């Protein structure tokens, strides 16, 4: 497909956000939508490198409400979009090893359950009973939500891309947006590696690169790329099929089933911002050692794959939705390491902001870009 000269709405970025936004705008009857992705395939950015976890367990009301709206869309995804996404409700189990985290997670649990999220408290003995293959003597307790789980990220992106195309969305890969045209204080289109396209509306869904895309329009969007990585193992028959998504919160160390083996990741607290997506072998060693101390079975497992990707981090670990100071130029990014699961509802919210003037499905008034300049930051404790 060649680059058109004009579109009504241009979406920059073909990850979960861009794909969901384009689809949901098309569902609302918008025609002439152009989605532009730099890579040769859709969903190879943060979305394609993510761990696929979906959860209700957050520390702020707005994140819990985003999950309450988004995860049911994933449950109905195959029915609505016609693409299987392998939603496995294995539950997330947060392991807590210090009293400060216990106190915070108990408060979080109350908030989650006030909103009907259905999270459970498990004491240390119960956790050790459920995970006999792990070394958990220091675990004081934890929270478990049986409706949390895992979803296939590629299926979600390609499901939205194909469903959008059926509704008339033109989705182009292998084209890079190199500039944004602004006339007066209004967006007028984009410059790309394949030519210029005029448009009245341009949406920045460039994930970890959203700060760079913002600069093209002269807009400061405080989104920092931060490398995170994981590895997968060969078959581990001792790990039961209902093994939960286990997170050792104090170490930011996590395990979940992937195929017949495990996916294991750990966040490096010393990681410096940057766009490097190569695996850091030194950190991988730290990760393997910490993981094997918790799960000695890993010493016998083979390493099958490893991947690094970028979190798109904002100063308050919450996303940025909506208008920018340039009229017609919108942003949807900055999910700070847990955006995949909020992709479905984010497409709906952005379509509401653009077509109706404000978001209605979830109250995200506090997640505007202006909050950073005005000092209205929110903090999320549950960042892994
Ligand atoms: C290791 C890791 C584990 C994670 N685990 C989870 C998890 O378990 N659960 C969860 O919910 N989230 C997780 N996340 C976070 C999640 O992946 C992101 O929040 C989410 O995928 C962001 O989607 P996006 O569409 O905004 O960004 P992306 O998927 O990065 O999409 C942005 C796209 O924009 C394109 N682009 C950039 N610049 C340009 C340009 N100039 N022109 C054209 N295209 C451009 C990029 O190529 C990219 O494809 C994880 C992230 C990482 C890195």
């Amino acid at each position: 497909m060649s680059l058109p000269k004009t579109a009504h709405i241009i979406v920059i970025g073909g990850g979960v956000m861009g794909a969901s936004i384009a689809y949901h705008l098309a569902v609302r009857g918008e025609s002439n939508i152009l989605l532009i992705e730099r890579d040769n395939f859709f969903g190879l950015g943060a979305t394609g490198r993510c761990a696929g976890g979906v959860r209700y367990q957050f520390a702020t009301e707005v994140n819990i409400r985003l999950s309450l709206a988004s995860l049911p869309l994933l449950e109905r995804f195959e029915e609505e979009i016609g693409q299987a996404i392998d939603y496995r409700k294995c539950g997330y189990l947060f392991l807590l090893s210090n009293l400060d985290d216990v106190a915070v997670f108990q408060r979080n649990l109350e908030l989650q359950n006030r909103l009907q999220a259905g999270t459970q408290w498990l004491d240390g003995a119960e956790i050790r009973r459920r995970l006999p293959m792990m070394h958990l003597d220091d675990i004081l307790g934890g929270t478990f939500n049986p409706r949390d789980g895992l979803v296939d990220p590629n299926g979600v992106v390609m499901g939205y891309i194909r469903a959008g195309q059926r509704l008339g969305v033109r989705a182009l890969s292998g084209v890079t947006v190199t500039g944004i045209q602004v006339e007066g204080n209004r967006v007028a289109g984009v410059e790309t590696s394949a030519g210029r396209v005029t448009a009245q509306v341009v949406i920045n869904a460039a994930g970890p690169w959203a700060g760079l895309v913002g600069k093209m329009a002269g807009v400061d969007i405080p989104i920092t790329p931060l490398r995170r990585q994981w590895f997968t193992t060969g078959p581990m028959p001792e790990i039961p099929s209902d093994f939960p998504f286990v997170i050792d919160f104090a170490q930011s160390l996590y395990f979940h089933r992937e195929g017949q083996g495990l996916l294991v990741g750990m966040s490096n607290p010393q990681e410096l911002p940057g766009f490097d997506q190569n695996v850091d072998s030194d950190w991988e060693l730290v990760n393997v050692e910490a993981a094997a101390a918790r799960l000695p079975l890993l010493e016998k497992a083979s390493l099958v794959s490893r991947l690094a990707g970028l979190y798109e981090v904002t100063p308050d670990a919450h996303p940025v939705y909506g208008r920018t100071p340039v009229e017609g130029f919108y942003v949807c990014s900055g999910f700070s390491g847990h955006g995949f699961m909020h992709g479905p509802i984010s497409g709906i919210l952005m379509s509401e902001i653009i077509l109706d003037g404000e978001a209605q499905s979830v109250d995200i008034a506090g997640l505007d870009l202006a909050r950073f300049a005005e000092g209205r930051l929110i903090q999320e404790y549950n960042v892994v």
Side-chain angles (χ1 to χ4, degrees):
M1 188 194 298
S2 60
L3 191 76
K5 295 230 171 317
T6 181
H8 180 217
I9 300 179
I10 293 176
V11 182
I12 304 172
V16 71
M17 295 304 158
S20 172
I21 294 166
Y23 167 74
H24 284 104
L25 282 166
V27 165
R28 291 283 306 270
E30 269 304 307
S31 55
N32 210 355
I33 301 166
L34 173 66
L35 182 148
I36 302 177
E37 165 54 47
R38 175 178 56 192
D39 288 334
N40 288 332
F41 296 94
F42 301 104
L44 294 186
T47 307
R49 294 157 190 266
C50 92
V54 303
R55 59 175 155 118
Y56 291 89
Q57 297 189 64
F58 281 99
T60 63
E61 180 159 343
V62 70
N63 269 336
I64 300 166
R65 287 196 186 281
L66 286 169
S67 290
L68 286 166
S70 206
L71 272 53
L73 295 169
L74 290 168
E75 292 201 36
R76 298 199 297 275
F77 196 87
E78 186 167 358
E79 199 183 312
E80 181 189 343
I81 308 292
Q83 165 78 47
I85 57 166
D86 193 22
Y87 192 159
R88 284 165 282 161
K89 285 190 193 148
C90 56
Y92 262 63
L93 174 48
F94 281 94
L95 307 176
L96 308 173
S97 53
N98 67 66
L99 288 170
D100 288 345
D101 287 342
V102 165
V104 172
F105 272 72
Q106 283 183 337
R107 278 203 302 278
N108 294 347
L109 178 137
E110 276 168 35
L111 175 63
Q112 289 157 21
N113 289 345
R114 184 164 63 72
L115 300 173
Q116 266 87 51
T119 305
Q120 304 161 8
W121 177 258
L122 305 182
D123 63 22
E126 174 61 16
I127 291 173
R128 283 183 281 281
R129 192 189 66 73
R130 291 187 186 201
L131 299 173
M133 71 297 279
M134 297 188 78
H135 280 184
L136 303 173
D137 287 350
D138 58 328
I139 297 304
L140 303 172
T143 56
F144 178 68
N145 189 313
R147 292 194 299 156
D148 294 343
L150 294 163
V151 169
D152 165 29
N154 183 51
V156 174
V157 173
M158 288 318 298
Y160 279 140
I161 293 279
R162 289 199 194 101
Q165 286 172 325
R166 290 197 290 274
L167 295 172
V169 172
R170 284 171 294 176
L172 285 181
S173 57
V175 177
T176 303
V177 172
T178 53
I180 294 177
Q181 297 163 283
V182 179
E183 287 169 7
N185 193 37
R186 214 182 189 299
V187 81
V190 301
E191 314 268 359
T192 79
S193 51
R196 195 180 257 216
V197 192
T198 63
Q200 285 115 302
V201 173
V202 174
I203 303 161
N204 175 358
W209 300 272
L212 299 180
V213 169
K215 280 202 180 76
M216 294 178 191
V219 174
D220 183 25
I221 305 170
I223 290 177
T224 308
L226 201 60
R227 176 169 56 177
R228 294 292 181 239
Q229 63 189 48
W230 45 256
F231 61 87
T232 62
T233 73
M236 295 181 67
E238 304 87 345
I239 302 294
S241 58
D242 62 351
F243 188 77
F245 193 139
V246 177
I247 302 182
D248 173 348
F249 187 71
Q251 296 197 81
S252 259
L253 168 68
Y254 57 88
F255 311 77
H256 72 65
R257 262 189 79 108
E258 186 79 2
Q260 299 300 308
L262 283 179
L263 181 149
V264 181
M266 187 172 177
S267 301
N268 179 356
Q270 311 302 334
E271 187 72 51
L272 296 173
F275 289 101
D276 184 359
Q277 296 194 83
N278 293 307
V279 170
D280 174 349
S281 319
D282 292 342
W283 182 253
E284 186 176 66
L285 210 56
V286 176
N287 185 356
V288 168
E289 279 176 9
R294 281 285 181 217
L295 184 65
L297 284 171
L298 279 169
E299 283 162 13
K300 292 190 290 172
S302 58
L303 185 81
V304 166
S305 67
R306 44 158 72 99
L307 204 63
L310 302 172
Y311 276 14
E312 67 298 26
V313 180
T314 64
D316 63 4
H318 279 72
V320 188
Y321 286 108
R323 288 181 192 76
T324 71
V326 172
E327 221 179 300
F329 182 51
Y330 295 83
V331 61
C332 174
S333 186
F335 291 79
S336 305
H338 46 256
F340 165 61
M341 68 187 87
H342 293 158
I345 188 61
S346 296
I348 293 177
L349 293 167
M350 288 302 292
S351 71
E352 291 170 351
I353 292 170
I354 290 162
L355 303 179
D356 308 327
E358 67 178 332
Q360 283 148 10
S361 299
V362 179
D363 180 1
I364 50 163
L367 301 182
D368 57 338
L369 178 60
R371 75 180 185 276
F372 301 110
E374 293 169 11
R376 290 183 277 109
L377 275 61
I378 316 156
Q379 275 309 332
E380 170 63 61
Y381 193 74
N382 255 4
V383 180
V384 178

